[in-house]
Amino acid sequence: MSHAILGTPAAEVRKLQNLVDDGRRLRAQLRRVARALDKADPRERIEARVGLDTIARRGRGWSRENRALLVSLVVHYYPPDRLAGLPRELLEDAVLANLDVKNLAAMAAVSRAARRAASSDAAWRPQYARRFGAADDASEHFDFGASLRESFRQRLGDPAPGDRVEIAWRGRFRLEGLEVYRGLAWWAAEVVEKRDAAAAAAADGPLDDRRARKYKVHYVHWDARWDEWVARDQLRWPVPEGRTGAVASGDDVEVWCSGSAVPGAWLRAVVTAVEGELYCVGDVASSGRLWVRRDRVRLIQRKQDRAPRAPKRLQPCRMLFALARATTAAVRARLASR
């Protein structure tokens, strides 16, 4: 076992969990875990911590020597939680208030005390305020007594009146002049009214929750006569501006299309060519291939991060037609050879 290739700390901990005998093999595997932790980065150490905690709680009939080795390993690579020594006001104002959602998730994996701090209302009040405004109105829209973390999650899935969103609209549109854009565009809007599923079903018929038109939206800087009811799958939260950083050919982007007096929209496109500071975003305009500058483009997804497309599968009817054509061709070829 000692000469096998050393895996990640989490993989070595899983091997440790699978060992049922107590003795030399267990000690050897504990030493392998220590070597893996010694070479690991902080993220890999955090991933292994959950498995080590599980082993420590299980309390199998290990020898005193092996238990001492496990405890020394945890103490050495996972020092005592330093958050417990910080004053509460300092923890909330200087640490939690400056973390985003991703950093809170990473903090929750460090220790139990860090998990409690990252799940508290004090940690999620700044997140809620930055995304939706004052956190005091959370109980007005969602379950009474729910934590701010849960209210944050609920409101992301079910926007409330006053929330700024973006509405999807696919087709052709013209803003000013003769240029006509086509494709999937996202228009800035605000939720002004919301109805429950029963009211939406009475107006539109029985639909699933994401397709029921539950939200009345007002398009920003447009006349109120354009207000309409939309479904959840037609709206999204505003995308963070991605107007910095390199953009390469093949990347998924959105192009800002606007006029001097008419509000614009973000049009989905794919970069097909790059020449200096100009980017070609394909045939999204009536004039042909559209070239724009970097300040009109925001990056959505890089080409290498795009999920590979699944191979196309023929529908059953198309498969039958293809089989019939192949059979007919085979019969004709046999008859011609006679």
Side-chain angles (χ1 to χ4, degrees), residues 173-195:
F173 62 93
R174 183 174 65 188
L175 298 174
E176 284 180 346
L178 300 177
E179 189 73 279
V180 177
Y181 301 100
R182 56 176 175 265
L184 176 63
W186 292 91
W187 301 81
E190 179 180 339
V191 178
V192 295
E193 188 179 343
K194 185 172 73 171
R195 57 191 178 189

Side-chain angles (χ1 to χ4, degrees), residues 241-244 247 252-256 266 271 279-281 291-300:
E241 294 293 332
R243 303 197 197 189
T244 59
V247 175
D252 292 329
V253 297
E254 289 178 351
V255 184
W256 179 246
W266 288 100
V271 176
Y279 298 82
C280 179
V281 291
W291 289 84
V292 296
R293 300 187 66 84
R294 181 66 180 90
D295 58 0
R296 285 185 59 187
V297 175
R298 67 182 182 188
L299 179 65
I300 299 299

